[in-house]
Amino acid sequence: MQKIDVCFSPELLPKYEITDKIVVVVDILRATSCMVTALACGVAQIIPVMEVEECKEWQRKGFLASAERDGKKIEGFDLDNSPFSYQNPDLIGKTIALTTTNGTLAIKKSKDAAQIIIGAFLNISAIVAYLKKENKDILVLCAGWKGKVNLEDTMFAGALVEALQADFDVATDDSLMAQILYNHAKTDMLAVIAKCSHIKRLQNLGIEKDIEFCFQIDKYNVVPMMNGDFLEIVA
Ligand code: MLT
């Protein structure tokens, strides 16, 4: 039986063998929620990059570019990291370079994986169906916050473990911990995360509406996957 593991932070990624695994990158608030929304709403490709300067290079080449640090849009870029900004018909068919505080770093650090797919509550059932069909070992990589563990990404990881436990071996304590956290929180996740650090950060920035949006279940039926340097819909 294939296995499912959870990595709570990119800092722990070196502890995991990923060359034969599907890595599901999650950054609920808000990078992967944003990416799923953008691609579901017609953006053709996203180019995740780690550094702001690299994102600026893509912009100089004529691409739209989005840059966020600490929840705020960086001056001089076209877009921020709110999922609402990507529901714009003007973006249909476009390719957008994107750098965020944690989410794009987690994607780039997963480069040696067999496959990298993008998970959020917004597309969780599509991810579950894809993983069952592929039937490969899975590592859920939580983007966390600047190397630290966070609540919302771990809850998502637990939701995936819960949904896949009949088909995959819940291999290690990290998967079990995430699953226990999710089962504790699942009846009212927004209430459970109300005090978490990134919620407070986003509230201080006056972007509470993004929080509720990112916790919607199955708003979109898409599976974004990295294809070289480009993130696009594979299913
Ligand atoms: C992240 O990369 O951690 C988040 O996307 C930051 C944010 O958008 O608030």
Side-chain angles (χ1 to χ4, degrees):
M1 186 183 252
Q2 306 307 112
K3 298 185 297 181
I4 181 166
D5 271 309
V6 173
C7 178
F8 292 133
S9 159
E11 294 291 311
L12 291 169
L13 194 55
K15 302 291 183 190
Y16 297 84
E17 170 51 53
I18 60 171
T19 52
D20 61 345
K21 289 185 180 160
I22 298 177
V23 171
V24 183
V25 177
V26 57
D27 182 352
I28 295 297
L29 294 172
R30 299 167 290 174
T32 61
S33 298
C34 236
M35 293 171 195
V36 167
T37 301
L39 293 166
C41 291
V43 165
Q45 294 177 314
I46 290 171
I47 308 167
V49 296
M50 281 173 68
E51 304 300 339
V52 171
E53 187 42 46
E54 191 180 349
C55 204
K56 184 56 79 177
E57 280 303 307
W58 283 105
Q59 192 180 41
R60 290 191 191 106
K61 289 177 192 168
F63 291 88
L64 287 171
S66 161
E68 167 274 333
R69 286 294 183 270
D70 299 319
K72 299 187 288 288
K73 175 185 166 187
I74 296 179
E75 276 311 301
F77 285 90
D78 306 297
L79 291 149
D80 59 12
N81 203 30
S82 168
F84 292 101
S85 303
Y86 294 84
Q87 300 170 37
N88 176 351
D90 295 344
L91 299 180
I92 291 174
K94 301 288 189 197
T95 294
I96 302 173
L98 169 69
T99 182
T100 71
T101 310
N102 306 282
T104 52
L105 178 140
I107 292 171
K108 302 306 282 185
K109 285 200 168 186
S110 303
K111 63 179 172 43
D112 296 331
Q115 295 180 29
I116 303 170
I117 62 174
I118 301 302
F121 285 114
L122 294 167
N123 69 331
I124 189 167
S125 293
I127 293 293
V128 167
Y130 180 80
L131 292 170
K132 285 182 178 175
K133 179 174 69 66
E134 289 294 296
N135 196 31
K136 287 180 183 291
D137 283 350
I138 302 162
L139 178 70
V140 187
L141 174 57
C142 300
W145 183 263
K146 296 186 180 177
K148 294 178 181 172
V149 177
N150 72 15
L151 202 52
E152 64 273 17
D153 297 346
T154 308
M155 279 164 62
F156 172 86
L160 267 191
V161 172
E162 181 76 4
L164 293 168
Q165 63 185 324
D167 306 85
F168 291 80
D169 173 20
V170 179
T172 47
D173 291 6
D174 41 45
S175 302
L176 286 171
M177 286 161 67
Q179 187 179 16
I180 291 164
L181 170 63
Y182 169 69
N183 280 310
H184 166 75
K186 63 186 176 184
T187 53
D188 190 350
M189 290 194 284
L190 285 172
V192 171
I193 61 149
K195 295 189 179 66
C196 86
S197 54
H198 202 39
I199 294 286
K200 292 195 191 101
R201 197 173 293 116
L202 294 176
Q203 286 169 339
N204 292 339
L205 292 169
I207 34 185
E208 293 89 339
K209 65 181 173 33
D210 289 20
I211 300 165
E212 205 158 327
F213 183 89
C214 293
F215 273 86
Q216 294 176 102
I217 306 293
D218 290 337
K219 183 173 175 64
Y220 302 119
N221 182 27
V222 294
V223 177
M225 178 188 285
M226 285 301 288
N227 176 10
D229 291 333
F230 298 91
L231 180 67
E232 47 200 27
I233 289 175
V234 69

